[in-house]
Amino acid sequence: MELRAYIREQRWTTVAGYGLFVALMVAGYYYNITFVQLGLIDLGTRLVGLSETAVSMWMAALALVTLAVAIATGMTMDRRGWSTDLRTKLRLLLGVVCLQFALTLVAPMVRTVPAFGA
């Protein structure tokens, strides 16, 4: 069923779910572009003093770690039945947002290669 049909049927919970999903996707995309794609390159080259190639290698490692965490989280959520529980998903989302906020706050203080990697 499409969103217009849900609006016509006044299924506001479903419509709000669509809105929340779109808002989360937009926020995640914006954070990824500004902080991860642009910010880490600037941080690594300008403040830490790494070459662009070295920063790219660190970002590739970050992508692989992210892949492993995503697979492990998905498998855990599926095995424990968390994937069908909205509250668990929202708690996980809150944890991710808090972690990203903390990383964004700490990032300007990074000045060494080990700290950049961490």
Side-chain angles (χ1 to χ4, degrees):
M1 197 178 276
E2 64 181 61
L3 182 59
R4 285 181 276 186
Y6 292 132
I7 293 171
R8 268 194 310 272
E9 294 173 9
Q10 297 182 356
R11 294 179 61 183
W12 302 121
T13 304
T14 305
V15 172
Y18 272 85
L20 178 62
F21 179 78
V22 170
L24 291 173
M25 292 295 105
V26 168
Y29 181 77
Y30 180 76
Y31 182 83
N32 183 39
I33 292 296
T34 57
F35 181 71
V36 177
Q37 297 296 322
L38 302 174
L40 286 182
I41 293 172
D42 181 58
L43 174 68
T45 56
R46 191 172 53 84
L47 295 180
V48 178
L50 293 169
S51 68
E52 287 188 13
T53 303
V55 173
S56 296
M57 295 296 284
W58 277 107
M59 289 179 71
L62 173 65
L64 291 174
V65 169
T66 302
L67 172 66
V69 169
I71 290 171
T73 302
M75 290 174 65
T76 301
M77 289 182 69
D78 189 46
R79 286 186 182 145
R80 296 188 181 191
W82 296 346
S83 58
T84 58
D85 185 18
L86 179 61
R87 288 186 181 180
T88 301
K89 290 179 188 178
L90 291 175
R91 285 186 192 117
L92 184 61
L93 175 65
L94 178 63
V96 168
V97 168
C98 289
L99 181 62
Q100 287 179 334
F101 181 72
L103 289 173
T104 305
L105 288 178
V106 171
M109 296 178 249
V110 172
R111 295 289 189 270
T112 65
V113 174
F116 182 79

